[in-house]
Amino acid sequence: MLRPDIVITCATMGSATLIQLVFLAGFVCCREVPLKKGMIFTPFNASLGALLVSLLGMYICETLSFTLVDPSPFTFTVLMFFAATYEYCYLFYCYARGFALVVELHPKLPSILSCIFNALPVVLYIVPILTGVQCYYTGTGMEGFYTTVATAWSAGTGVLTLSIDVIILTSFVRFLHKTTVEQDVVDKRFRIISWYGIGCSAWAAMALIFYILFAIRGEHLFLVGTFIAFNGIGTGLLAMKIALFYDESKKSLTSPGKKTKVRGSTAVSGVSRTT
């Protein structure tokens, strides 16, 4: 069934995502490589790049679903695969960004989070598997059951994603209040991570709300809203990376040996580097 509103939205957001992906590649090659001597495939670059590729894949699948006369039932399965990859990349970025802060403030949580991350790929990729099973049983009368299970499981992974992000973000905000540089001035780097992190968490909450509405109402406009929120997350993480890069470059020129006080101890400014 042709839905021009959904197709136009997906095409627009997909184009924006493609531009972001090209910009990320250009920024890494033209700005980071000369400065960091060949550090292209850092964990953060890889996770952010995979996140944007997955988002682009979701837009393409959703566009095909509403433009083809007879779209393949497995198109939605591929879409869910991209969605699972997107969630994993986002959680990895959050985990790597704030893990040190969780260790500092919640000594018992890191072991729990490590267990969750070890099982996370299985948890996330069960959704596309269930969706594929649902497609296989289409027309047999059993697809309704698998649809319900897949939707409920997907919503559960969304709650898990948001919960982990909230834990890490809360830990960072608490850490931010206890961290000062010389002369009691809050490190700008921590401010950058905090503000962009709050924005990304807000987009993640919106994505979860839209998906829950999609699960309840079955209206694909809510699914498009979820994708738009996903794009907001990608934009926020990309903007954070750029802001941190230029802040680090400025610091390396103006105050290369600056120290940051953390609970009475000292560490090199930029404890939680996310560029």
Side-chain angles (χ1 to χ4, degrees), residues 116-182:
I116 292 176
F117 266 85
N118 288 335
L120 196 58
V122 176
V123 173
L124 291 177
Y125 286 105
I126 280 179
V127 176
I129 292 174
L130 288 173
T131 307
V133 172
Q134 167 200 338
C135 295
Y136 180 80
Y137 282 104
T138 298
T140 64
M142 297 181 63
E143 65 270 18
F145 169 75
Y146 288 107
T147 300
T148 302
V149 173
T151 302
W153 192 279
S154 184
T157 58
V159 172
L160 178 63
T161 301
L162 186 60
S163 298
I164 294 175
D165 191 42
V166 167
I167 290 172
I168 297 174
L169 181 62
T170 302
S171 298
F172 180 78
V173 171
R174 289 182 56 193
F175 185 81
L176 178 63
H177 287 294
K178 297 180 180 180
T179 304
T180 58
V181 295
E182 295 173 352

Side-chain angles (χ1 to χ4, degrees), residues 27-98:
F27 182 83
V28 171
C29 293
C30 298
R31 300 295 296 173
E32 284 192 344
V33 171
L35 182 65
K36 298 185 178 183
K37 299 180 181 180
M39 293 180 62
I40 298 178
F41 296 105
T42 65
F44 294 107
N45 289 341
S47 61
L48 186 55
L51 182 146
L52 292 174
V53 170
S54 299
L55 185 58
L56 182 61
M58 286 192 285
Y59 285 129
I60 292 174
C61 289
E62 190 69 1
T63 301
L64 290 176
S65 297
F66 288 97
T67 54
L68 298 179
V69 177
D70 187 22
S72 169
F74 287 97
T75 300
F76 195 67
T77 302
V78 177
L79 188 153
M80 289 295 102
F81 172 82
F82 282 127
T85 303
Y86 178 95
E87 285 190 74
Y88 182 78
C89 291
Y90 174 64
L91 281 179
F92 173 83
Y93 196 98
C94 293
Y95 183 75
R97 176 191 69 198

